[in-house]
Amino acid sequence: MDQRVDIEFECLPLRSVGRLDVPIDASPGFRAFCERVKRAIEKHGTHNAYYLHHARCVYRLTNDDRIGLLEFAFEGTVLTDAEDRKALHADLDVALHRETCDWLTKPVVAWFRETVTRAVLVEFDRFAEAGDLRRTVERIERLQHESDARGGYLGMGL
């Protein structure tokens, strides 16, 4: 059976961000991303905090994507318990990106924005349970170690 909610995201463990300065030659888009990550660190710290980006959540209200599809873009921070096993809180910016639902109203959009946040918490737990969170942390730590060993500059540790 098809999933009713399709959620995709990239995950940046905030504890892996080694530097907060932005490269001078950074593109405007990357510069803006770095600034959003920096604000997330200032607000939530780095311990058990994960920045989700390039993220979307799709709801299919009918069995035809031409009618009743809601696609939301989101970005923000998920905070977990001490063992990184359970998502406790999500501080997300959620925006309706695309829809094929001619009966959509503002109160329904607002309700779905909150629902996206709740769905992301559930999906993040599945992500952690599947071991993807651990592999993401290990990959970023390995890249950081390789960069440090070579004296490289990655800006914000990315």
Side-chain angles (χ1 to χ4, degrees), residues 2-9 54-74 94-101 111-113 115-120 123:
D2 291 333
Q3 288 182 317
R4 306 256 190 295
V5 182
D6 179 20
I7 299 175
E8 298 174 5
F9 56 81
H54 291 113
R56 71 185 195 113
C57 179
V58 177
Y59 292 95
R60 290 172 176 83
L61 306 178
T62 69
N63 291 329
D64 184 345
D65 284 351
R66 295 173 295 174
I67 304 166
L69 179 129
L70 303 175
E71 180 178 343
F72 292 86
F74 66 91
V94 180
L96 182 62
H97 178 69
R98 178 173 66 108
E99 55 89 7
T100 59
C101 188
W111 184 83
F112 267 103
R113 277 194 196 110
T115 302
V116 167
T117 299
R118 292 172 186 252
V120 167
E123 193 65 22

Side-chain angles (χ1 to χ4, degrees), residues 9 12 19 30 34 37 45 55 57-58 72 77 82 85 110 131 150 158:
F9 56 81
L12 173 64
R19 300 175 66 152
F30 184 67
C34 292
V37 169
C57 179
V58 177
F72 292 86
T77 307
R85 294 185 191 271
R150 293 186 184 126
L158 303 175

